[in-house]
Amino acid sequence: MTNDRYSFRKQILTCEQILDMIESGTLKFVGQTYGTNSKWSVGLKSLFIFQLLSGLQVPELMFDGSNSIWHVVSGERQLMCIRDYVNGKFILSKEIFHRMDNMIEYQNLPLILKRKLQNTEFTVKVLNPGISPLNRYQIYEMIGASEGSCDMWAVARFVFQEGYQQLELIVDRIIQNYPEVKKNRKQLIRLPLLWMIRNNVEEQTKRVAISDYSKIDSILIPLLEKFYLDEDKIEDLIAACSFLSDDSASKIFSCKSMSLRTVTLILLLRNVNSGKELSTFIRSCHNIWKKMPQSLRNPSYTMLVEQINYMSQKLKL
């Protein structure tokens, strides 16, 4: 399979070969290495192992083979399940295998079933080398959106390694200046990128080629491909974040709505609060948000510009 941006090849790999790659470190899980992905219950794990032992159809996998160390793009939960079962980290549900106690633990499986499991063949779609970091990231994003299980910031950490490292250094600088917000580090990681798009959000949203259900991270993370702020711009950013020294800043990060958090932060970085006390400004933002037309309440990035404009106009009244 090829297109103008990237290409794949298909390989047949046995379960044993894949487990050997994981054990040797030549194949890594994004969730295991960089974050925590969605987990299966013991019941779902047991059903999947039963599927393998019964010789039923197995899912197609996708691996990122663009570098010397490969990563699992899709099929992470299935492969973690097999690895954990083979390594004795969980036993199968007795409700499913109630008459086959010898199958509950891998070590007790008859040799013929062990070989059947290890020899199970998977069709693997492998991403070829020569792909740009941005296109590489977009593949993870598309698969993550369809599976609903991928931590895209975890992917960004190794796909855009240099940009992410600088982002972390800038966040460290922000925390040094405003130490009281240290506990909100996971939210602060977006601040330098929000600062970069604060005055051209519309232009940034046009560049995003993903579904309408994508959130603000679909705009921010790709900026890491060529992310760089010189010292003067970093100082400007730190000055623009002066609102973080206010005790009320914690109310921004504790807000349940990611969209409201994002809009509030962008408005503050634009200095739209016009000298109001931060607590008053945040309260106004919450009140306006509650009364906002339902058509603008979509959490998708496509609504971001309209939400910012709506809030700005209402705050000026």
Side-chain angles (χ1 to χ4, degrees):
M1 174 183 174
T2 62
N3 62 28
D4 61 340
R5 294 186 297 173
Y6 41 77
S7 64
F8 296 92
R9 66 185 183 275
K10 282 197 174 182
Q11 291 185 211
I12 302 297
L13 295 174
T14 66
C15 183
E16 186 174 28
Q17 288 174 313
I18 295 172
L19 291 176
D20 285 345
M21 292 172 68
I22 295 170
E23 181 66 25
S24 67
T26 56
L27 176 65
K28 293 188 176 183
F29 296 120
V30 176
Q32 175 187 333
T33 309
Y34 300 103
T36 302
N37 262 7
S38 299
K39 296 180 179 179
W40 275 357
S41 66
V42 172
L44 289 174
K45 290 179 180 180
S46 300
L47 286 172
F48 178 64
I49 296 297
F50 178 77
Q51 179 180 343
L52 297 179
L53 295 174
S54 302
L56 301 176
Q57 185 176 2
V58 295
E60 183 175 272
L61 308 176
M62 183 185 292
F63 293 169
D64 175 3
S66 58
N67 288 328
S68 57
I69 301 297
W70 289 16
H71 289 84
V72 178
V73 181
S74 69
E76 179 169 290
R77 286 174 294 190
Q78 290 89 341
L79 294 179
M80 281 185 169
C81 173
I82 298 170
R83 181 202 60 184
D84 290 348
Y85 177 58
V86 169
N87 290 339
K89 292 187 177 180
F90 81 94
I91 62 174
L92 304 181
S93 170
K94 291 185 178 181
E95 293 180 4
I96 296 175
F97 293 90
H98 60 285
R99 292 186 179 179
M100 296 175 282
D101 287 347
N102 63 324
M103 297 173 64
I104 291 177
E105 294 186 65
Y106 177 78
Q107 64 179 7
N108 294 330
L109 280 181
L111 181 60
I112 190 171
L113 286 180
K114 286 183 178 179
R115 293 316 306 165
K116 186 172 186 177
L117 178 62
Q118 294 281 359
N119 290 331
T120 299
E121 293 184 339
F122 288 89
T123 300
V124 184
K125 187 184 292 185
V126 183
L127 178 63
N128 288 324
I131 184 174
S132 72
L134 179 59
N135 288 333
R136 186 183 178 205
Y137 169 79
Q138 288 173 338
I139 291 171
Y140 282 92
E141 185 175 34
M142 285 187 288
I143 299 300
S146 64
E147 294 189 348
S149 63
C150 199
D151 177 357
M152 295 317 301
W153 283 99
V155 175
R157 193 175 295 143
F158 69 90
V159 173
F160 304 118
Q161 189 170 355
E162 290 185 8
Y164 194 93
Q165 286 175 350
Q166 203 215 10
L167 182 66
E168 288 276 19
L169 291 174
I170 294 173
V171 171
D172 286 339
R173 293 273 298 276
I174 293 173
I175 291 174
Q176 286 174 7
N177 283 269
Y178 311 106
E180 58 274 16
V181 294
K182 182 177 181 179
K183 62 182 179 181
N184 300 115
R185 186 183 186 90
K186 290 184 101 175
Q187 297 297 331
L188 290 175
I189 205 75
R190 294 177 174 84
L191 260 181
L193 299 174
L194 289 174
W195 185 80
M196 288 179 66
I197 72 166
R198 70 195 188 286
N199 292 324
N200 62 343
V201 177
E202 186 170 8
E203 185 61 31
Q204 294 296 333
T205 57
K206 290 177 181 177
R207 297 175 56 196
V208 181
I210 198 70
S211 74
D212 286 347
Y213 297 99
S214 299
K215 307 296 181 6
I216 183 62
D217 291 342
S218 295
I219 303 172
L220 300 182
I221 293 177
L223 295 175
L224 291 172
E225 183 180 28
K226 298 178 180 178
F227 180 68
Y228 176 76
L229 291 179
D230 60 32
E231 185 60 30
D232 288 341
K233 290 181 179 178
I234 293 175
E235 289 296 333
D236 289 343
L237 166 62
I238 291 173
C241 291
S242 60
F243 62 88
L244 294 175
S245 61
D246 194 300
D247 291 340
S248 301
S250 60
K251 296 179 181 178
I252 302 173
F253 300 114
S254 63
C255 176
K256 293 182 179 180
S257 169
M258 171 66 81
S259 297
L260 177 54
R261 284 202 302 267
T262 299
V263 171
T264 302
L265 288 170
I266 288 179
L267 292 174
L268 286 166
L269 292 172
R270 284 183 173 186
N271 198 29
V272 175
N273 54 329
S274 302
K276 292 181 182 177
E277 288 188 2
L278 185 61
S279 58
T280 302
F281 178 78
I282 294 172
R283 188 162 52 250
S284 297
C285 287
H286 278 73
N287 291 336
I288 294 170
W289 189 268
K290 289 177 183 177
K291 298 176 183 178
M292 189 162 55
Q294 193 64 36
S295 59
L296 294 180
R297 300 292 285 274
N298 190 321
S300 165
Y301 74 86
T302 55
M303 289 288 103
L304 188 59
V305 176
E306 287 80 358
Q307 290 167 346
I308 292 171
N309 291 338
Y310 178 87
M311 296 283 282
S312 297
Q313 292 172 3
K314 291 294 183 180
L315 287 165
K316 291 177 182 177
L317 297 177

